[in-house]
Coordinates of all heavy atoms in Angstrom, one line a residue:
M294 N -4.0 -11.5 5.6 CA -2.9 -10.7 5.9 C -3.4 -9.4 6.6 O -4.5 -8.9 6.3 CB -2.2 -10.3 4.6 CG -1.6 -11.4 3.8 SD -0.4 -12.2 4.8 CE 0.0 -13.6 3.7
K295 N -2.6 -8.8 7.5 CA -3.0 -7.7 8.3 C -2.1 -6.5 8.1 O -0.9 -6.7 7.8 CB -3.1 -8.1 9.7 CG -4.1 -9.2 10.0 CD -4.4 -9.4 11.4 CE -5.3 -10.5 11.6 NZ -6.7 -10.1 11.9
D296 N -2.6 -5.3 8.3 CA -1.8 -4.1 8.1 C -1.1 -3.8 9.5 O -1.2 -4.6 10.4 CB -2.6 -3.0 7.6 CG -3.7 -2.5 8.6 OD1 -3.8 -3.1 9.7 OD2 -4.3 -1.5 8.3
V297 N -0.6 -2.6 9.6 CA 0.2 -2.1 10.8 C -0.8 -2.0 12.0 O -0.3 -2.2 13.1 CB 0.9 -0.8 10.5 CG1 -0.1 0.3 10.2 CG2 1.8 -0.5 11.6
R298 N -2.0 -1.8 11.8 CA -3.0 -1.6 12.9 C -3.8 -2.9 13.2 O -4.7 -2.9 14.0 CB -3.9 -0.5 12.7 CG -3.2 0.9 12.6 CD -4.1 2.0 12.5 NE -3.3 3.2 12.4 CZ -3.8 4.4 12.2 NH1 -5.1 4.5 12.1 NH2 -3.1 5.5 12.1
G299 N -3.5 -4.0 12.4 CA -4.2 -5.2 12.7 C -5.5 -5.4 11.8 O -6.2 -6.4 12.0
A300 N -5.8 -4.5 11.0 CA -6.9 -4.6 10.1 C -6.7 -5.6 9.0 O -5.6 -5.6 8.4 CB -7.4 -3.2 9.5
K301 N -7.7 -6.3 8.6 CA -7.5 -7.3 7.5 C -7.5 -6.6 6.2 O -8.3 -5.8 5.9 CB -8.6 -8.4 7.6 CG -8.4 -9.5 6.6 CD -9.5 -10.5 6.8 CE -9.2 -11.6 5.7 NZ -10.0 -12.7 5.8
L302 N -6.5 -7.1 5.3 CA -6.4 -6.5 3.9 C -7.0 -7.5 2.9 O -6.8 -8.7 3.1 CB -4.9 -6.3 3.6 CG -4.2 -5.3 4.5 CD1 -2.7 -5.3 4.1 CD2 -4.8 -3.9 4.3
N303 N -7.7 -7.0 2.0 CA -8.4 -7.8 0.9 C -7.9 -7.2 -0.4 O -7.7 -6.0 -0.6 CB -9.9 -7.7 1.0 CG -10.4 -8.3 2.3 OD1 -9.9 -9.3 2.8 ND2 -11.3 -7.7 2.9
I304 N -7.8 -8.1 -1.4 CA -7.5 -7.7 -2.8 C -8.7 -6.8 -3.3 O -9.9 -7.2 -3.1 CB -7.3 -8.9 -3.7 CG1 -6.0 -9.6 -3.2 CG2 -7.2 -8.5 -5.1 CD1 -5.7 -10.9 -4.0
G305 N -8.4 -5.7 -3.8 CA -9.4 -4.8 -4.3 C -9.8 -3.7 -3.3 O -10.4 -2.8 -3.6
G306 N -9.3 -3.9 -2.0 CA -9.6 -2.9 -1.0 C -8.7 -1.7 -1.0 O -7.7 -1.8 -1.7
R307 N -9.1 -0.7 -0.3 CA -8.3 0.5 -0.3 C -7.4 0.6 0.9 O -7.9 0.2 2.0 CB -9.2 1.8 -0.3 CG -10.1 1.8 -1.5 CD -9.5 2.5 -2.6 NE -10.4 2.6 -3.8 CZ -10.0 2.6 -5.0 NH1 -8.8 2.6 -5.3 NH2 -10.9 2.6 -6.0
V308 N -6.2 1.1 0.8 CA -5.3 1.3 1.9 C -4.7 2.7 1.8 O -4.7 3.4 0.8 CB -4.2 0.3 2.0 CG1 -4.7 -1.1 2.2 CG2 -3.4 0.3 0.7
C309 N -4.2 3.2 3.0 CA -3.5 4.5 3.0 C -2.1 4.3 3.4 O -1.8 3.5 4.3 CB -4.2 5.4 4.1 SG -3.5 7.0 4.2
V310 N -1.2 4.9 2.6 CA 0.2 4.8 2.9 C 0.6 5.6 4.2 O 0.2 6.8 4.3 CB 1.1 5.3 1.7 CG1 2.5 5.2 1.9 CG2 0.7 4.5 0.5
Q311 N 1.3 5.0 5.1 CA 1.6 5.6 6.4 C 3.0 6.3 6.4 O 3.2 7.0 7.4 CB 1.6 4.6 7.5 CG 0.3 3.9 7.6 CD -0.8 4.9 8.1 OE1 -0.6 5.6 9.1 NE2 -1.9 5.0 7.3
E312 N 3.8 6.2 5.4 CA 5.1 6.9 5.4 C 5.5 7.1 3.9 O 5.0 6.4 3.0 CB 6.2 6.1 6.1 CG 6.4 4.7 5.5 CD 7.3 3.8 6.4 OE1 6.9 3.6 7.6 OE2 8.3 3.4 5.9
D313 N 6.4 8.0 3.7 CA 7.0 8.3 2.4 C 7.9 7.1 2.0 O 8.7 6.6 2.8 CB 7.9 9.5 2.3 CG 7.0 10.8 2.5 OD1 5.8 10.8 2.1 OD2 7.6 11.8 2.8
I314 N 7.7 6.5 0.7 CA 8.4 5.4 0.3 C 9.2 5.8 -0.9 O 8.6 5.8 -2.0 CB 7.5 4.2 0.1 CG1 6.7 3.9 1.3 CG2 8.3 3.0 -0.4 CD1 5.6 2.9 1.1
P315 N 10.5 6.0 -0.8 CA 11.3 6.4 -2.0 C 11.8 5.1 -2.8 O 12.1 4.1 -2.1 CB 12.5 7.1 -1.5 CG 12.7 6.6 -0.1 CD 11.3 6.2 0.4
T316 N 11.7 5.2 -4.1 CA 12.2 4.1 -4.9 C 12.9 4.7 -6.1 O 12.9 5.9 -6.3 CB 11.0 3.2 -5.5 OG1 10.3 3.9 -6.4 CG2 10.2 2.6 -4.4
I317 N 13.5 3.8 -6.9 CA 14.2 4.3 -8.1 C 13.2 4.8 -9.2 O 13.6 5.6 -10.0 CB 15.2 3.3 -8.7 CG1 14.4 2.0 -9.1 CG2 16.3 3.0 -7.7 CD1 15.2 1.1 -9.9
D318 N 12.0 4.4 -9.0 CA 10.9 4.8 -10.0 C 10.2 6.1 -9.6 O 9.3 6.5 -10.3 CB 10.0 3.7 -10.2 CG 10.7 2.5 -10.9 OD1 11.5 2.7 -11.7 OD2 10.3 1.3 -10.5
G319 N 10.4 6.6 -8.4 CA 9.7 7.7 -7.9 C 9.4 7.6 -6.4 O 9.9 6.7 -5.7
M320 N 8.5 8.5 -5.9 CA 8.2 8.5 -4.5 C 6.7 8.2 -4.3 O 5.9 8.8 -5.0 CB 8.5 9.9 -4.0 CG 8.1 10.1 -2.5 SD 9.3 9.4 -1.3 CE 10.5 10.7 -1.3
L321 N 6.4 7.3 -3.5 CA 5.0 7.1 -3.0 C 4.9 7.9 -1.7 O 5.5 7.5 -0.7 CB 4.7 5.6 -2.9 CG 3.3 5.2 -2.5 CD1 2.3 5.7 -3.5 CD2 3.2 3.7 -2.3
Y322 N 4.0 8.9 -1.7 CA 3.9 9.8 -0.6 C 3.0 9.3 0.5 O 2.0 8.6 0.2 CB 3.5 11.2 -1.1 CG 4.6 11.9 -1.9 CD1 4.5 11.9 -3.3 CD2 5.7 12.5 -1.3 CE1 5.5 12.5 -4.0 CE2 6.6 13.1 -2.0 CZ 6.6 13.1 -3.4 OH 7.5 13.7 -4.2
K323 N 3.3 9.8 1.7 CA 2.4 9.5 2.8 C 1.0 10.0 2.6 O 0.8 11.0 1.9 CB 3.0 10.2 4.1 CG 2.2 10.0 5.4 CD 3.0 10.7 6.5 CE 2.2 10.4 7.8 NZ 2.9 11.1 8.9
N324 N 0.0 9.3 3.1 CA -1.4 9.6 3.0 C -2.0 9.4 1.6 O -3.1 9.9 1.3 CB -1.7 11.0 3.5 CG -1.4 11.1 5.0 OD1 -1.6 10.2 5.8 ND2 -1.0 12.3 5.4
T325 N -1.3 8.7 0.7 CA -1.8 8.4 -0.6 C -2.7 7.2 -0.5 O -2.4 6.2 0.2 CB -0.6 8.0 -1.5 OG1 0.3 9.1 -1.6 CG2 -1.2 7.7 -2.9
I326 N -3.9 7.3 -1.1 CA -4.9 6.2 -1.1 C -4.5 5.3 -2.3 O -4.5 5.8 -3.4 CB -6.3 6.7 -1.2 CG1 -6.6 7.7 -0.1 CG2 -7.3 5.6 -1.2 CD1 -6.5 7.2 1.3
C327 N -4.4 4.0 -2.0 CA -4.0 3.0 -3.1 C -5.0 1.8 -3.0 O -5.6 1.6 -1.9 CB -2.6 2.5 -2.9 SG -1.4 3.8 -3.0
K328 N -5.1 1.1 -4.1 CA -5.9 -0.1 -4.1 C -5.0 -1.3 -4.1 O -4.0 -1.4 -4.7 CB -6.7 -0.1 -5.4 CG -7.6 -1.3 -5.6 CD -8.5 -1.1 -6.8 CE -7.9 -1.9 -7.9 NZ -8.7 -2.0 -9.1
V329 N -5.3 -2.3 -3.3 CA -4.5 -3.5 -3.1 C -4.7 -4.4 -4.4 O -5.8 -4.7 -4.8 CB -4.9 -4.3 -1.9 CG1 -4.2 -5.6 -1.8 CG2 -4.8 -3.5 -0.6
D330 N -3.6 -4.7 -5.0 CA -3.6 -5.4 -6.2 C -3.3 -6.9 -6.0 O -3.9 -7.8 -6.6 CB -2.6 -4.8 -7.2 CG -2.7 -5.4 -8.6 OD1 -3.8 -5.4 -9.2 OD2 -1.7 -5.9 -9.1
S331 N -2.3 -7.2 -5.1 CA -2.0 -8.6 -4.8 C -1.3 -8.7 -3.4 O -0.7 -7.7 -3.0 CB -1.1 -9.3 -5.9 OG 0.3 -9.0 -5.6
L332 N -1.5 -9.8 -2.8 CA -0.9 -10.1 -1.5 C 0.1 -11.2 -1.6 O -0.2 -12.2 -2.1 CB -2.1 -10.5 -0.5 CG -3.2 -9.5 -0.3 CD1 -4.3 -10.2 0.4 CD2 -2.7 -8.3 0.4
E333 N 1.3 -11.0 -1.0 CA 2.3 -12.0 -1.0 C 2.7 -12.2 0.5 O 2.1 -11.5 1.4 CB 3.5 -11.5 -1.8 CG 3.3 -11.2 -3.2 CD 3.0 -12.5 -4.0 OE1 3.6 -13.5 -3.7 OE2 2.3 -12.4 -5.0
E334 N 3.7 -13.0 0.7 CA 4.1 -13.3 2.2 C 4.7 -12.1 2.8 O 4.3 -11.7 3.9 CB 5.1 -14.5 2.2 CG 4.4 -15.8 2.1 CD 3.5 -16.1 3.3 OE1 3.9 -15.8 4.4 OE2 2.4 -16.7 3.0
G335 N 5.7 -11.5 2.2 CA 6.4 -10.4 2.9 C 5.9 -9.0 2.4 O 6.1 -8.1 3.2
K336 N 5.3 -8.9 1.3 CA 4.9 -7.6 0.7 C 3.6 -7.7 0.0 O 3.1 -8.7 -0.2 CB 6.0 -7.1 -0.3 CG 7.3 -6.9 0.3 CD 8.2 -6.2 -0.7 CE 9.5 -5.8 0.0 NZ 10.3 -4.9 -0.8
L337 N 3.0 -6.5 -0.2 CA 1.8 -6.5 -1.1 C 2.0 -5.4 -2.2 O 2.8 -4.5 -2.0 CB 0.6 -6.1 -0.2 CG 0.5 -4.7 0.4 CD1 -1.0 -4.4 0.4 CD2 1.0 -4.7 1.7
R338 N 1.3 -5.7 -3.3 CA 1.4 -4.7 -4.4 C 0.2 -3.9 -4.4 O -0.9 -4.4 -4.3 CB 1.5 -5.5 -5.7 CG 1.8 -4.7 -6.9 CD 2.1 -5.5 -8.1 NE 1.0 -6.3 -8.6 CZ 1.0 -7.0 -9.6 NH1 2.1 -7.2 -10.3 NH2 -0.1 -7.7 -9.9
V339 N 0.4 -2.6 -4.4 CA -0.7 -1.6 -4.5 C -0.6 -0.8 -5.8 O 0.4 -0.6 -6.4 CB -0.7 -0.7 -3.3 CG1 -0.9 -1.5 -2.0 CG2 0.6 0.1 -3.1
Q340 N -1.8 -0.2 -6.2 CA -1.9 0.6 -7.3 C -2.4 2.0 -6.9 O -3.4 2.1 -6.3 CB -2.8 0.0 -8.3 CG -2.9 0.8 -9.6 CD -3.9 0.0 -10.6 OE1 -4.6 -0.8 -10.2 NE2 -3.8 0.5 -11.8
D341 N -1.6 3.0 -7.2 CA -2.0 4.4 -6.9 C -3.0 4.9 -7.9 O -3.4 4.2 -8.9 CB -0.8 5.3 -6.7 CG -0.1 5.5 -8.0 OD1 -0.5 5.1 -9.1 OD2 1.0 6.2 -7.9
R342 N -3.6 6.1 -7.8 CA -4.6 6.6 -8.6 C -4.2 6.8 -10.0 O -5.0 6.9 -11.0 CB -5.2 7.9 -8.0 CG -5.9 7.5 -6.8 CD -6.8 8.6 -6.3 NE -7.6 8.1 -5.1 CZ -8.4 8.9 -4.4 NH1 -8.5 10.1 -4.7 NH2 -9.0 8.4 -3.4
S343 N -2.8 7.0 -10.3 CA -2.3 7.2 -11.6 C -2.1 5.9 -12.3 O -1.8 5.9 -13.5 CB -1.0 8.0 -11.6 OG 0.0 7.2 -11.0
G344 N -2.3 4.7 -11.6 CA -2.1 3.4 -12.2 C -0.8 2.8 -12.0 O -0.6 1.7 -12.5
K345 N 0.1 3.5 -11.3 CA 1.4 3.0 -11.1 C 1.4 1.9 -10.0 O 0.7 2.0 -9.0 CB 2.3 4.1 -10.7 CG 3.8 3.8 -10.8 CD 4.6 5.0 -10.6 CE 6.0 4.8 -10.9 NZ 6.8 6.0 -10.8
L346 N 2.1 0.8 -10.2 CA 2.2 -0.3 -9.2 C 3.4 -0.2 -8.3 O 4.5 0.2 -8.8 CB 2.2 -1.6 -9.9 CG 1.0 -2.0 -10.8 CD1 1.2 -3.3 -11.6 CD2 -0.2 -2.1 -9.9
W347 N 3.2 -0.4 -7.0 CA 4.2 -0.3 -6.0 C 4.2 -1.5 -5.1 O 3.2 -2.0 -4.8 CB 4.0 0.9 -5.1 CG 3.8 2.2 -5.8 CD1 2.7 2.7 -6.4 CD2 4.8 3.2 -6.1 NE1 2.9 4.0 -6.9 CE2 4.2 4.3 -6.7 CE3 6.2 3.2 -5.7 CZ2 5.0 5.4 -7.1 CZ3 6.9 4.4 -6.1 CH2 6.3 5.4 -6.8
W348 N 5.4 -2.0 -4.7 CA 5.6 -3.1 -3.7 C 5.9 -2.4 -2.4 O 6.8 -1.6 -2.3 CB 6.7 -4.0 -4.1 CG 6.3 -4.9 -5.2 CD1 6.7 -4.8 -6.5 CD2 5.6 -6.1 -5.1 NE1 6.2 -5.8 -7.3 CE2 5.5 -6.6 -6.5 CE3 4.9 -6.8 -4.1 CZ2 4.8 -7.8 -6.7 CZ3 4.2 -8.0 -4.4 CH2 4.2 -8.5 -5.7
V349 N 5.0 -2.7 -1.4 CA 5.2 -2.1 -0.1 C 5.1 -3.2 1.0 O 4.6 -4.2 0.7 CB 4.2 -1.0 0.2 CG1 4.3 0.2 -0.8 CG2 2.8 -1.5 0.1
N350 N 5.6 -2.9 2.2 CA 5.5 -3.8 3.3 C 4.2 -3.6 4.0 O 3.6 -2.5 3.9 CB 6.6 -3.5 4.3 CG 8.0 -3.9 3.8 OD1 8.1 -4.8 3.0 ND2 9.0 -3.1 4.1
Y351 N 3.7 -4.6 4.7 CA 2.5 -4.5 5.4 C 2.5 -3.4 6.5 O 1.5 -2.8 6.8 CB 2.1 -5.9 6.0 CG 1.7 -6.9 5.0 CD1 2.6 -7.8 4.6 CD2 0.4 -6.9 4.5 CE1 2.2 -8.8 3.6 CE2 0.0 -7.8 3.6 CZ 0.9 -8.7 3.1 OH 0.5 -9.6 2.2
S352 N 3.7 -3.2 7.1 CA 3.8 -2.2 8.1 C 3.8 -0.7 7.5 O 3.7 0.2 8.3 CB 5.1 -2.4 8.9 OG 6.2 -2.2 8.0
Q353 N 3.8 -0.6 6.2 CA 3.8 0.8 5.6 C 2.4 1.2 5.2 O 2.3 2.4 4.7 CB 4.7 0.8 4.4 CG 6.2 0.6 4.8 CD 7.0 0.5 3.6 OE1 6.7 -0.2 2.6 NE2 8.2 1.1 3.6
V354 N 1.4 0.4 5.4 CA 0.0 0.8 5.0 C -1.0 0.5 6.1 O -0.7 -0.2 7.0 CB -0.5 0.0 3.7 CG1 0.4 0.4 2.5 CG2 -0.5 -1.5 3.9
S355 N -2.1 1.2 6.0 CA -3.2 1.0 6.9 C -4.5 0.9 6.2 O -4.8 1.8 5.3 CB -3.2 2.1 7.9 OG -4.3 2.1 8.8
A356 N -5.4 0.0 6.5 CA -6.7 -0.1 5.9 C -7.7 0.6 6.7 O -8.9 0.9 6.3 CB -7.1 -1.6 5.9
S357 N -7.4 1.1 7.9 CA -8.3 1.9 8.8 C -8.0 3.3 8.7 O -7.5 3.9 9.7 CB -8.3 1.3 10.2 OG -7.0 1.4 10.7
F358 N -8.2 4.0 7.6 CA -7.8 5.4 7.4 C -9.0 6.4 7.5 O -8.8 7.6 7.5 CB -7.1 5.6 6.1 CG -7.8 5.2 4.9 CD1 -8.6 6.0 4.2 CD2 -7.7 3.9 4.4 CE1 -9.2 5.7 3.1 CE2 -8.4 3.4 3.3 CZ -9.1 4.3 2.6
L359 N -10.2 5.9 7.5 CA -11.4 6.8 7.4 C -11.8 7.3 8.8 O -11.6 6.7 9.8 CB -12.5 6.1 6.8 CG -12.3 5.7 5.3 CD1 -13.5 4.9 4.8 CD2 -12.1 7.0 4.5

């Protein structure tokens, strides 16, 4: 699976959120570094530094943030 810039995503890899993502459980803010937890067809699940799990689209994250 690939992110918005075409970089390959791997489980356990780090990604950077490219936009604010509001949900009923809270807000995942832009430029937050998250760890990829699982890859699905349409979405991926990421874990932020506080341990909270989020479902995001591939177009909302980037693996080339450094």
Side-chain angles (χ1 to χ4, degrees):
M294 300 295 177
K295 299 193 183 257
D296 68 354
V297 67
R298 296 185 182 177
K301 187 173 178 176
L302 299 174
N303 298 318
I304 294 176
R307 303 266 183 216
V308 294
C309 180
V310 178
Q311 297 297 305
E312 60 188 58
D313 290 338
I314 304 171
T316 67
I317 58 171
D318 296 323
M320 175 81 84
L321 183 59
Y322 291 101
K323 181 178 180 178
N324 296 326
T325 301
I326 305 298
C327 298
K328 184 173 95 173
V329 176
D330 190 54
S331 87
L332 302 169
E333 301 291 329
E334 280 297 318
K336 294 187 173 196
L337 69 147
R338 188 168 66 177
V339 296
Q340 183 178 15
D341 64 6
R342 293 196 176 173
S343 67
K345 196 168 187 181
L346 296 172
W347 304 86
W348 286 100
V349 297
N350 293 324
Y351 288 99
S352 62
Q353 295 173 320
V354 296
S355 173
S357 56
F358 58 90
L359 296 175

